[in-house]
Amino acid sequence: MTYQSDLLTTLTSRGYVHQMTDAAALDALAGKQVVPGYIGFDPTAPSLHVGSLVQIMLLRRLQQTGHKPIVLMGGGTGKIGDPSFKDEARKLLGEDGIKANVASIRRIFERFLTFAPEGEVGGPTDAVMLDNAEWLDALEYIPFLRDVGQHFSVNRMLAFDSVKLRLDREQSLSFLEFNYMILQAYDFLELSRRADCRLQMGGSDQWGNIVNGIELARRMDSTEVYGVTTPLITTADGGKMGKTMSGAVWLHEDQLPHFDYWQFWRNTDDRDVGRFLKLFTDLPLDEIARLEALEGAEINAAKIVLANEATAMCRGRDAAEQAAETARKTFEEGASGDSLPSFAVAGGAIGLVEALVSLGFVASNGEARRKIAEGAVRVDGEAVKEPTASIDVAAPVRLSLGKKRHGMLTPS
């Protein structure tokens, strides 16, 4: 389908859209006025991770196409935790922990979005950050049940995939968590009243919650609001985006050094480069088409562009340039300025223990296994703690022991 608004044209051409409610009406609305749109984030940690980056980029695209992003922090719902597609309940945070996390997470959004200067009234497209604790904490239970609860069918709530999955697995779903979808729907209603919000966006797992909010706004206020969800972002090998062997890829440098963040993007699978350039950088689509058409060893140039652009957006251009230079020195010169030791691998793969011995990093297999267990070994910047791991050497691979010992495994 061809859209008239810059918003939907941008979202669809860059691969953000999985489902939409009444796309034609949303397209028409976005073509004639500023559309305030929101995404909710529960402050369960001091930083968000790469798994949240698609949603952050959605808000960035909203602002880039002339609309108003609303970042909704779940200071209220964060006290419960979203049960959607979770196997068990989250650990509940206290008031102080939630407030500290909200303040920390705000720094991330200030890198991706334009907010009004502190103390000034923002313009029509300046981003705002709100906290649903402002209205949820003030709710009175009986009036809420009477006024809002009557619009929800328990039969339908039980049929949502996010709930049904837990019940089918016979995993506990507390009444507290069961209320989450009602509160999220109420958030949409409240934002439509307070901020003229007309759009909620989120991951595909949020579809049921978004539809609930749309229906609640229609029933209680006769207001038409809309929803957009993104596809689940997985890597070409079927893995979950942002999950690595060494854990989550955090957006804050407090949780993950600049170089490791840069290296995460540099290690992107060849098949994902074009898609990730569209989702996670501001490069024009024609330039992305040129980069994703590169083949063989040349695709590494596209990966470096991806790493540079994604890191610059999240950590700043200086951080991206420093990380790229560190990588160049590590790969090409070695940390001391000398050539890196290398070992040619026959057969396309080598065991991690054998690789450490072959490069001369350790004197024995036993020492290699100990270093791996200690978390001292990295393959292309990613920690590997499994001694039985095998390394695919279809292309050059950097192997590191600690911070100072680096070598290259090359295909023979």
Side-chain angles (χ1 to χ4, degrees):
M1 181 176 178
T2 300
Y3 296 104
Q4 301 301 311
S5 66
D6 288 344
L7 173 61
L8 293 193
T9 298
T10 297
L11 295 187
T12 53
S13 63
R14 285 186 171 264
Y16 290 99
V17 176
H18 177 60
Q19 290 175 290
M20 285 191 282
T21 63
D22 202 345
L26 176 58
D27 188 41
L29 185 68
K32 67 182 181 182
Q33 69 179 62
V34 173
V35 175
Y38 92 96
I39 300 178
F41 301 85
D42 280 342
T44 55
S47 173
L48 301 175
H49 53 71
V50 165
S52 298
L53 194 51
V54 168
Q55 310 311 321
I56 297 173
M57 291 299 296
L58 265 181
L59 292 171
R60 183 178 177 88
R61 302 302 183 211
L62 187 73
Q63 189 169 53
Q64 287 174 334
T65 53
H67 302 283
K68 187 178 187 67
I70 300 172
V71 181
L72 182 65
M73 299 309 302
T77 46
K79 297 169 187 174
I80 298 174
D82 184 357
S84 298
F85 298 97
K86 303 293 190 302
D87 288 338
E88 57 185 19
R90 283 175 172 166
K91 180 181 178 182
L92 301 184
L93 296 176
E95 293 275 359
D96 291 344
I98 290 173
K99 288 180 180 178
N101 288 347
V102 168
S104 179
I105 290 170
R106 182 184 174 92
R107 291 187 289 135
I108 294 172
F109 284 99
E110 289 173 344
R111 299 169 185 174
F112 289 86
L113 305 173
T114 300
F115 290 80
E118 189 173 352
E120 295 185 17
V121 177
T125 63
D126 283 328
V128 295
M129 178 176 280
L130 303 177
D131 189 333
N132 63 14
E134 183 179 346
W135 52 85
L136 295 183
D137 284 2
L139 286 175
E140 295 180 346
Y141 188 59
I142 298 301
F144 180 73
L145 286 181
R146 180 193 62 212
D147 298 337
V148 177
Q150 64 171 305
H151 298 290
F152 290 84
S153 162
V154 171
N155 304 63
R156 189 177 180 202
M157 292 166 72
L158 289 171
F160 280 123
D161 287 343
S162 56
V163 173
K164 192 171 182 294
L165 184 65
R166 286 272 287 273
L167 298 180
D168 287 348
R169 293 178 178 174
E170 298 185 357
Q171 293 162 332
S172 175
L173 179 69
S174 71
F175 181 71
L176 186 68
E177 292 175 284
F178 192 60
N179 272 269
Y180 187 96
M181 64 180 71
I182 300 178
L183 296 178
Q184 184 170 327
Y186 185 73
D187 281 344
F188 203 175
L189 174 70
E190 196 68 31
L191 285 171
S192 74
R193 292 172 173 176
R194 293 172 178 245
D196 199 30
C197 183
R198 291 295 174 264
L199 174 64
Q200 183 182 174
M201 301 179 290
S204 58
D205 61 331
Q206 295 300 311
W207 179 253
N209 291 335
I210 291 173
V211 170
N212 276 337
I214 291 170
E215 293 183 352
L216 185 63
R218 183 182 299 128
R219 289 172 179 172
M220 293 192 70
D221 289 356
S222 298
T223 301
E224 292 298 323
V225 293
Y226 307 94
V228 173
T229 63
T230 58
L232 175 65
I233 306 299
T234 57
T235 55
D237 61 5
K240 190 173 182 180
M241 173 69 184
K243 293 293 186 181
T244 69
M245 286 182 284
S246 52
V249 180
W250 297 103
L251 301 183
H252 259 327
E253 56 270 27
D254 300 349
Q255 275 76 33
L256 187 74
H258 296 318
F259 178 77
D260 290 345
Y261 188 78
W262 186 95
Q263 192 67 36
F264 165 77
W265 296 106
R266 171 61 181 82
N267 289 338
T268 296
D269 189 293
D270 292 1
R271 297 165 290 177
D272 290 326
V273 172
R275 186 163 57 107
F276 286 3
L277 283 166
K278 290 177 185 176
L279 291 170
F280 302 116
T281 81
D282 285 342
L283 290 178
L285 291 177
D286 56 353
E287 174 64 7
I288 292 173
R290 184 189 70 80
L291 289 168
E292 71 176 327
L294 298 175
E295 297 179 350
E298 289 185 336
I299 195 68
N300 289 324
K303 293 182 184 182
I304 290 173
V305 171
L306 171 62
N308 287 342
E309 294 302 312
T311 303
M313 191 178 295
C314 183
R315 304 294 184 85
R317 184 63 63 180
D318 287 347
E321 291 176 354
Q322 290 169 13
E325 179 62 12
T326 298
R328 187 188 68 79
K329 288 182 176 180
T330 301
F331 276 101
E332 298 177 9
E333 302 172 10
S336 64
D338 300 323
S339 297
L340 289 177
S342 64
F343 179 75
V345 177
I350 187 173
L352 182 56
V353 169
E354 181 185 352
L356 289 168
V357 175
S358 299
L359 282 168
F361 287 178
V362 293
S364 67
N365 291 349
E367 183 183 358
R369 284 191 284 268
R370 285 195 299 275
K371 293 296 184 183
I372 295 167
E374 291 168 3
V377 177
R378 289 180 175 265
V379 176
D380 276 347
E382 186 174 321
V384 181
K385 297 182 180 180
E386 178 51 61
T388 60
S390 179
I391 305 170
D392 182 8
V393 195
V397 175
R398 178 172 60 98
L399 185 63
S400 303
L401 176 61
K403 295 182 178 180
K404 296 182 178 180
R405 305 203 69 179
H406 308 280
M408 297 298 298
L409 301 173
T410 60
S412 63

